[in-house]
Amino acid sequence: MKYKTRSCPQFAACGLNCGLCSRYYTVGSSRCPGCAGEGFSDVHPNCGILLCCQRKGLEYCFECDEFPCSKYDKWGDSDSFITHRNYLADMEKAKRIGMDAYKAELDEKIGIVETLLNSHDDGRHKGFFCLAVNLLDLQDVKAVMERLVDETTLDMPIKEKAKIAERLFEETAQQRGILLKLRR
């Protein structure tokens, strides 16, 4: 199935933050380009939610009078490569503050994930960093990043930097009652 290209593939029609998914940062054939991004149909040939939106001429499900519909029944009970926990809250936020403001926040989070992957990933934390940045509020993520600057140095071994980053994100998540694990 060929999908119509969307204006913001980093935020899916269904409410997932594709730009905060570990597969968005994968190199190779299993890389996902985001919702209806270039090559999306090769990775996700049958997305009923995206097809429904595009058939109705909508960018996002939250624009539909029937949202949330039966397509979402039990949809948030488990995760794939990306957490499904915040999709409803994220769509409600995008609807409330507008897509330009939501995309600006998402872009900031994407930039933080990219920074973490470039400077703190020991090859084992990509999924963790994506999950933490996705689930935590932007202000909490920024606070963790500030603490990382204080607690790490440029010449510190990458494994040590990764452990410190993981500890700081876990501490913040625990304070907020958020579990930083995908639900399978």
Side-chain angles (χ1 to χ4, degrees), residues 70-114:
S70 62
K71 287 178 177 50
Y72 285 93
D73 291 350
K74 296 186 180 182
W75 194 72
D77 293 343
S78 64
D79 300 319
S80 55
F81 290 96
I82 187 170
T83 182
H84 293 190
R85 279 181 261 179
N86 288 356
Y87 74 94
L88 280 174
D90 288 340
M91 282 203 281
E92 288 169 9
K93 183 176 186 176
K95 186 176 184 176
R96 185 180 73 253
I97 69 173
M99 271 311 297
D100 289 341
Y102 187 84
K103 186 174 179 329
E105 281 190 23
L106 180 57
D107 287 344
E108 195 167 353
K109 282 187 163 191
I110 289 169
I112 291 169
V113 165
E114 290 170 354

Side-chain angles (χ1 to χ4, degrees), residues 22-183:
S22 61
R23 287 194 58 203
Y24 191 76
Y25 298 97
T26 298
V27 176
S29 61
S30 65
R31 181 185 184 278
C32 181
C35 183
E38 187 176 328
F40 180 79
S41 56
D42 297 334
V43 183
H44 302 285
N46 289 322
C47 179
I49 292 175
L50 180 58
L51 285 173
C52 181
C53 273
Q54 292 195 344
R55 216 177 21 253
K56 293 178 178 183
L58 305 172
E59 280 278 314
Y60 303 98
C61 289
F62 68 76
E63 298 170 319
C64 182
D65 294 336
E66 299 172 41
F67 176 78
C69 68
S70 62
K71 287 178 177 50
Y72 285 93
D73 291 350
K74 296 186 180 182
W75 194 72
D77 293 343
S78 64
D79 300 319
S80 55
F81 290 96
I82 187 170
T83 182
H84 293 190
R85 279 181 261 179
N86 288 356
Y87 74 94
L88 280 174
D90 288 340
M91 282 203 281
E92 288 169 9
K93 183 176 186 176
K95 186 176 184 176
R96 185 180 73 253
I97 69 173
M99 271 311 297
D100 289 341
Y102 187 84
K103 186 174 179 329
E105 281 190 23
L106 180 57
D107 287 344
E108 195 167 353
K109 282 187 163 191
I110 289 169
I112 291 169
V113 165
E114 290 170 354
T115 296
L116 287 163
L117 295 177
N118 289 328
S119 61
H120 290 77
D121 184 31
D122 60 356
R124 296 176 160 214
H125 282 82
K126 177 172 53 174
F128 177 82
F129 291 150
C130 288
L131 180 65
V133 173
N134 199 342
L135 289 177
L136 291 170
D137 186 67
L138 179 58
Q139 298 311 314
D140 286 335
V141 173
K142 286 178 172 182
V144 168
M145 295 304 288
E146 287 175 15
R147 289 182 62 197
L148 268 175
V149 170
D150 293 339
E151 295 189 30
T152 60
T153 62
L154 290 175
D155 60 342
M156 186 178 280
I158 195 75
K159 281 188 174 195
E160 194 173 335
K161 287 167 67 169
K163 284 182 183 180
I164 292 169
E166 181 178 5
R167 176 180 53 81
L168 295 175
F169 277 116
E170 286 286 4
E171 287 172 2
T172 303
Q174 188 175 18
Q175 291 168 359
R176 301 290 182 251
I178 297 171
L179 180 64
L180 294 182
K181 299 238 184 270
L182 289 174
R183 301 163 305 158

